Every structure is written in structure tokens, then in C-alpha cells.
Amino acid sequence: MNNIPTVMILFGGSGDLAHRKIYPALFNLYRRNVIHDNFAVIGTARRPWSHEYLREQVAQAVHESWEEVDEAQLTEFASHFYYQSHDVTNVEHYVTLKQLAQELDERYECGGNRIFYMAMAPSFFGTIAEHIADQHLTGTGFNRLVVEKPFGTDLASAEVLNQQIRNSFAEDQVFRIDHYLGKEMVQNILPLRFGNSLFKRIWNADAVKNVQVTLAERLGVEARGGYYNNSGALRDMAQNHIMQIITLLAMPEPKDLSDKAIHAAKEDLLASLVIPDEKAVSENIIRGQYLGTETTFEYVKEPNVAEDSKTETYVAGRLEFSKGPLAGVPVYFRTGKEMREKKTRVDVVFKDEAGLYGDKAKTNVLTIEIDPVNQVYFRLNGKNVAGSDLRLERFCYRYSEDEQAEVPDGYERLIHDVFVNDSTNFTKWEELKQYWRFVDAVEAAWQKQNAAGEKPVKYRPYGMGPDTSKIFADPEDGWIYK
């Protein structure tokens, strides 16, 4: 689809997310002709900017993303941007916003199509959604709402927010964005599973011993201490990114490749997610906090973090599903800050079969590396060139430098999907609800542990976190990525 007519209203138009991700993504979509002549973007925020100043910021954001830019093309692109100083709590400001949107709709012949993008503090999501409804900001064409994470802080707050949004938008109009679902190798999981008869036949509980998901971050909380102290690794990373990846790994085969069929398969899987009780949390979930070094702060010494904080900067655990191709198969996950390196990867560990070579045959493992390199490799046994002993071979599928250069940014890919109304790589409410049920159960158990005087385990920076061996169902198991 080309030159899709739309007025986009961007709440948080002066923010860091808009500058780093959204404006460069829109420019690339403009260069690809997804949007071109018949679009306008209204950036809103409290700051008293002008149309001209916003356009300067848009141009600067594009220059920061690309070394070479067609200046005439960039000037024309930026001319489609308009600024409206806006207090999201002031109803009168929505009246002014509506008038500007209608003017631009007529000027650019957008056919009443509206995209509302919430790129600001989550505490305002509900307020904005309600005022979009009561001030009738929606257009006469299509209306779509893009919501950034976090979507609530627990199931109860998520349900309230969802109801506020549903007063203005139907579920199929809501795009809950998670940029991990825009990553190339995350989007490669389903083609890998269902496009290859080899993996399709062995992706089941009979052949898979366990699945391991690692999302390691090299940096600490830095300037985000205030936010992070009220969030933690479980809510910040596991509730969304990790759970989304696990869902793609464990879901049954959808009826077809439509967004509705894929979400139906996800919902079917997640209905069988085993919600842990207190005993299961104690046995299967570990939380930790990083210590300091000579040059870095310990977590509880970071700015805006309480010295008695029990917020986790690391979490590792085990979960299972009672249905689906991997029913009963342990799924291990971990995420943490101040780890050895930035790395996001999946390891699918296959069961060992006693055979001619006995212990000499090592475990087969399929690894999907998502960050920082896009690659898939399969660990197989092969013969040594000299002699008859076995050696491990690694068959790798990796993009060339030219292919890597063509991989679009996750935000560009997902915003494109909003324009073309493809919700495949967004989170639906029924999925999100199950994620929160799991997280709430863990958080409730941790609150009781806190009351009993238990604290997160301390771990040294630049390693792989605290000892997590107890979570493994088989004592001989362990992390493939050490």
C-alpha cells in the first residue's frame, strides 16, 4: 500500500522516543512511499514550540539517524509536521486539537483517517483515551490507537486502562507496541518453526528437553533509578519482551498467517500458562540485585533508589504450559542489568538419545540470536577429520553485511504495520492479561518474602548474574549460554 492518507496525532511529540525512533521511522516510510503526499503529523506536548521549531527537530532527528539525506526530500517531509501545545488534562485543548486535525485532514485530503500515538508517560494513557472519546477526536475514516509500554503496572491497573481505551476504540483498533516484536530474528521465529519440515516435526515435547531465553543488559539503571525502583526486571523486561518471545516459541501452529489466526493460536497457548503459587515461586523464580565496583554504583546506591530497596535488577525463572506443542517442557528465562554483555538469544535444547556414540555425542541445540547479531545456528555432532571421535559442528545462518544494512528498525517495521492495519506483531488484550496474571502471582509471593525478611540475592557486575541452578528441573541441566 502506498501514500496511505492519514492524520497522525502524536502525544509526546517533544519527547526522546519521538526524536530517536518515531521521526526517523516515519521519514523512512516516507522515502518508501508508504506515506507521502496525503499525510500530516501533529506533535503535541506542554512545551511552547512552533510548527517551524518542530520541523527543525524532525530534521535533526533524521540527520542523527542517517549520514546521507536528500535535503529537498527531508524539507518536504518535515513540512507535513505541525505542533500543538497541549495539556492532556485540559479538555479545551482537545477542542483546539480537533480543529487542527480537521483543517489538516481537508488540506491533505486524508479521508477522515486518524492514528493516535501515545508516546508519553503511561499515567496519562487513560486520560488521553477518555478525552479522545468525549471530545470526538476520532475521524470519519479509520481510527487506530498506538500505545507504548508499560500497559499498566499489574492486572488491576491494566484492566482499568483497557476499559478507558475501549470507551474510545475497539480491540481491533488498538496497537499495543512492543519494539521487540519488530526485531528481525523475533519475526523469524515463526518462519523457522513452520517453514521447515525438519523443525516442524521435532518442535514438540517428545524431542525438546527445554527452552532457554536470555535477555542480558550490559548497563545498570543509570538515570532511570526512580522509574526502575517502581518497576524492576520482572515488570520492565519479562512481562513484555520475554513473554512475547516465549509465546512465539511455544504457540501451536496457526490456521493461516493472518493476524487473527496468529493471535488465536497465541491465546490458545496462554490460556494454559501455569500460574505459580507461592511454593512454585520460591522454588522456580530467583531475583537479584547488582553490587558495585570501584567505578560503578551498587543498585541500592544509585540515584533515586532507596537504600532498603528490594526491587530486582535480575530475575530468572522456569515456567510451563499445560497445552501446546511444548506442553510440560520447562521454559527457562532470565534478564538482568550489569551483565557481562548485551545479548538477547534463545536456546532450544533437544533431548539426548542413547546411541552408538554414548556420552561422546553432545546435545543438539538450536540457537536464535536476536541481539546484537542476527543469526541462527544449530549445534550438531560431526566426525573429527583425524580419527573417529566426534566433534561439535555449528551450522550457521547469518545475514551478510548488505542484508543486515537492509533490516529495518523495529519501530519503522511496526509503525508501517499500523498504517497497513496489520496487528500480527502487537499485543492483544487476552495475551496481555495472561502475562499480568503470571507476573502478579510472582510479585505477590515476593511481597510475602519481603515481609519475612528475605531479600534479593546480590550478584557481581559483568557476569551472568547470581547462581540460578536450583530452577532447573534436571540437576544435570544448566544454561547453554554461560
Side-chain angles (χ1 to χ4, degrees):
M1 298 177 68
N2 293 325
N3 193 28
I4 300 171
T6 313
V7 173
M8 174 184 282
I9 300 175
L10 178 59
F11 297 94
S14 67
D16 180 64
L17 176 62
H19 190 89
R20 289 187 302 106
K21 294 294 185 180
I22 299 174
Y23 295 148
L26 289 172
F27 180 63
N28 231 20
L29 294 175
Y30 177 81
R31 294 200 295 190
R32 292 167 49 196
N33 207 38
V34 176
I35 52 174
H36 209 271
D37 299 323
N38 305 106
F39 85 99
V41 178
I42 303 173
T44 77
R46 284 179 176 270
R47 296 176 183 179
W49 286 6
S50 64
H51 300 327
E52 291 73 21
Y53 188 76
L54 173 61
R55 291 165 188 166
E56 291 174 6
Q57 292 300 305
V58 170
Q60 181 181 332
V62 170
H63 279 297
E64 290 172 3
S65 297
W66 286 283
E67 293 182 0
E68 297 183 7
V69 176
D70 183 323
E71 294 299 331
Q73 186 181 50
L74 177 56
T75 299
E76 175 60 28
F77 167 74
S79 72
H80 290 255
F81 283 73
Y82 298 80
Y83 187 77
Q84 177 67 56
S85 183
H86 183 76
D87 178 353
V88 298
T89 64
N90 189 325
V91 176
E92 293 181 1
H93 286 196
Y94 289 87
V95 176
T96 305
L97 190 58
K98 179 181 178 180
Q99 292 172 346
L100 177 58
Q102 289 174 334
E103 291 173 9
L104 295 177
D105 189 290
E106 294 173 4
R107 183 182 307 174
Y108 291 99
E109 299 179 354
C110 294
N113 296 330
R114 300 279 191 278
I115 293 176
F116 302 88
Y117 198 129
M118 296 189 189
M120 58 188 309
S123 57
F124 295 116
F125 289 173
T127 300
I128 295 170
E130 288 183 335
H131 287 320
I132 288 173
D134 60 37
Q135 298 306 309
H136 309 291
L137 259 71
T138 52
T140 56
F142 67 67
N143 291 278
R144 297 165 191 161
L145 176 70
V146 184
V147 187
E148 286 283 342
K149 79 173 188 73
F151 196 92
T153 56
D154 53 19
L155 179 56
S157 61
E159 286 179 327
V160 170
L161 175 56
N162 192 60
Q163 186 56 54
Q164 290 173 313
I165 287 175
R166 290 298 298 275
N167 289 336
S168 305
F169 298 89
E171 177 62 21
D172 62 3
Q173 296 175 307
V174 181
F175 293 76
R176 299 175 188 86
I177 196 167
D178 180 343
H179 70 276
Y180 261 71
L181 288 179
K183 290 182 177 290
E184 180 66 19
M185 278 302 161
V186 173
Q187 295 203 346
N188 232 324
I189 292 174
L190 294 190
L192 184 70
R193 287 186 55 195
F194 301 121
N196 295 288
S197 60
L198 167 65
F199 294 125
K200 187 174 178 179
R201 289 175 180 276
I202 63 173
W203 207 281
N204 55 60
D206 291 333
V208 176
K209 186 175 186 181
N210 64 66
V211 176
Q212 304 178 12
V213 179
T214 297
L215 204 163
E217 296 183 283
R218 178 64 176 78
L219 301 176
V221 300
E222 298 186 314
R224 299 176 69 223
Y227 161 78
Y228 201 86
N229 200 47
N230 293 316
S231 175
L234 183 67
R235 288 192 179 105
D236 190 46
M237 303 300 282
Q239 181 270 335
N240 38 72
H241 306 327
I242 286 180
M243 283 296 201
Q244 290 283 2
I245 293 172
I246 290 174
T247 302
L248 291 169
L249 293 166
M251 63 185 276
E253 183 175 9
K255 293 181 179 179
D256 53 53
L257 292 176
S258 67
D259 52 0
K260 290 184 179 180
I262 289 174
H263 284 297
K266 287 183 175 182
E267 291 176 18
D268 186 46
L269 170 77
L270 290 168
S272 76
L273 175 62
V274 178
I275 307 301
D277 57 19
E278 292 176 30
K279 182 174 182 293
V281 171
S282 177
E283 293 175 349
N284 300 330
I285 312 286
I286 291 175
R287 54 180 174 152
Q289 284 181 347
Y290 60 78
L291 294 165
T293 68
E294 292 180 355
T295 58
T296 62
F297 289 114
E298 181 180 359
Y299 173 68
V300 293
K301 301 292 179 60
E302 294 277 18
N304 301 315
V305 175
E307 290 192 2
D308 60 349
S309 172
K310 294 184 175 63
T311 299
E312 76 289 351
T313 62
Y314 174 98
V315 61
R318 182 173 86 231
L319 62 79
E320 292 183 3
F321 299 95
S322 61
K323 294 182 180 179
L326 299 182
V329 174
V331 180
Y332 301 102
F333 64 90
R334 58 178 167 172
T335 182
K337 292 189 175 294
E338 296 277 9
M339 304 283 274
R340 184 175 66 238
E341 60 181 339
K342 178 178 175 59
K343 180 81 74 174
T344 302
R345 62 181 272 169
V346 170
D347 294 289
V348 180
V349 183
F350 293 92
K351 291 179 180 178
D352 294 322
E353 297 289 344
L356 294 175
Y357 293 94
D359 293 340
K360 293 180 180 179
K362 303 303 181 184
T363 302
N364 297 137
V365 179
L366 174 70
T367 297
I368 305 168
E369 190 167 321
I370 299 164
D371 276 326
V373 179
N374 292 320
Q375 62 180 348
V376 178
Y377 51 90
F378 198 27
R379 196 171 80 174
L380 298 171
N381 293 289
K383 175 187 167 296
N384 273 331
V385 174
S388 58
D389 286 341
L390 299 183
R391 69 176 182 182
L392 278 177
E393 301 278 4
R394 196 172 88 160
F395 290 81
C396 186
Y397 160 51
R398 183 174 182 173
Y399 290 166
S400 67
E401 290 186 8
D402 290 342
E403 289 174 323
Q404 183 63 42
E406 293 178 3
V407 173
D409 175 77
Y411 269 92
E412 178 188 334
R413 179 174 270 150
L414 294 175
I415 293 173
H416 165 272
D417 289 351
V418 175
F419 278 111
V420 301
N421 198 31
D422 183 352
S423 67
T424 301
N425 296 301
F426 296 84
T427 309
K428 292 299 183 182
W429 170 244
E430 290 301 320
E431 301 158 26
L432 182 67
K433 185 162 62 175
Q434 287 299 96
Y435 298 156
W436 274 127
R437 287 186 64 212
F438 182 89
V439 169
D440 282 0
V442 176
E443 291 284 354
W446 281 351
Q447 289 300 318
K448 291 192 176 181
Q449 291 177 13
N450 292 343
E454 296 184 39
K455 299 179 180 179
V457 179
K458 299 291 185 177
Y459 64 94
R460 295 185 180 280
Y462 317 137
M464 292 308 294
D467 177 24
T468 55
S469 58
K470 80 165 192 174
I471 69 173
F472 285 91
D474 187 332
E476 296 182 358
D477 285 342
W479 294 106
I480 297 298
Y481 174 52
K482 301 184 185 298

